[in-house]
Amino acid sequence: GHPRFELLKPEFHYLYQDKVNKIKNIFKDFILINTSFGFGNNILGEKFVIKNYESRISSIKEKIIYEKEQLSYFIELIKKLKGETKLKIVIRPHPEEDKSIYDDTFANEENITVIYEGSVIEWLLASRVMIHHSCTTAVEASMLGKNPISFGKNFNHSFVPWLPLELSKVFVDIGKLVE
């Protein structure tokens, strides 16, 4: 396999242990939420996304709408999780996302942290559970021996990669996911 994936095997977990320990010392037991809404919440804005992708993705405007809807469902999910668990919640936005929506929404929540730093591998290893919509970090989580959870409503399978969903326990209902 590719070296990137080979390094996810258990015999190489020791390579990440120092950073995993540092994350655990700070966040203890936590839920990791990896978002992947780079079209609907792009750091450069919707006009940039349309201009940059419309020649390659014929339904780019629909994809933007879809991701904006999913983002709103994720914010609803995070609010529900906050009320139902004592675990810390770490939101790790995709690099193309404008993280200010998360910063602004959860600014006064002491148990919720929005952060983007380091390799996702250490964050996956340190977390109790990882929740995503249709993020390829589910592949890495699976290879690390974690059981990723996917959440979304009205999944549009033409807009999401199939493999992350196939490797995940998929929920479409917030109540059932929290349960």
Side-chain angles (χ1 to χ4, degrees):
H2 189 280
R4 175 178 171 211
F5 296 111
E6 289 294 315
L7 291 172
L8 301 177
K9 292 181 176 179
E11 59 264 30
F12 298 112
H13 289 192
Y14 75 92
L15 295 170
Y16 309 104
Q17 203 55 52
D18 285 345
K19 289 183 181 175
V20 168
N21 291 341
K22 286 178 185 175
I23 292 169
K24 285 184 173 188
N25 284 337
I26 295 168
F27 295 99
K28 311 294 183 233
D29 208 11
F30 68 95
I31 298 168
L32 177 63
I33 298 185
N34 284 332
T35 63
S36 56
F37 305 119
F39 291 102
N41 181 35
N42 193 280
I43 195 165
L44 298 175
E46 189 174 316
K47 287 180 184 178
F48 166 80
V49 173
I50 292 169
K51 182 180 177 189
N52 193 46
Y53 291 100
E54 90 181 316
S55 66
R56 294 177 278 167
I57 302 173
S58 62
S59 56
I60 190 61
K61 291 177 183 172
E62 291 82 5
K63 184 167 178 67
I64 290 168
I65 292 167
Y66 173 78
E67 287 195 3
K68 284 182 179 192
E69 288 174 348
Q70 297 305 316
L71 172 60
S72 71
Y73 300 145
F74 257 71
I75 289 172
E76 182 183 347
L77 168 66
I78 295 164
K79 288 177 179 178
K80 180 73 172 173
L81 282 171
K82 174 190 71 94
E84 297 290 328
T85 182
K86 293 186 191 291
L87 294 174
K88 292 183 188 256
I89 298 170
V90 174
I91 304 168
R92 195 167 189 278
H94 188 278
E96 286 187 42
E97 277 193 78
D98 180 356
K99 76 182 204 80
S100 69
I101 191 168
Y102 306 108
D103 288 334
D104 295 346
T105 304
F106 301 109
N108 298 318
E109 302 294 341
E110 62 183 57
N111 223 26
I112 299 175
T113 303
V114 181
I115 194 163
Y116 185 84
E117 66 178 48
S119 164
V120 72
I121 304 307
E122 291 95 7
W123 289 94
L124 290 167
L125 284 167
S127 68
R128 174 177 298 178
V129 66
M130 188 272 286
I131 302 172
H132 67 102
H133 174 66
S134 59
C135 185
T136 55
T137 57
V139 176
E140 292 159 313
S142 278
M143 292 182 75
L144 290 168
K146 299 279 186 165
N147 296 312
I149 295 173
S150 174
F151 171 71
K153 295 181 182 180
N154 307 312
F155 276 98
N156 183 329
H157 293 282
S158 64
F159 293 148
V160 297
W162 66 271
L163 186 57
L165 297 180
E166 186 70 26
L167 295 171
S168 302
K169 174 87 172 151
V170 178
F171 288 91
V172 296
D173 180 88
I174 289 176
K176 289 185 179 176
L177 186 154
V178 171
E179 199 176 283

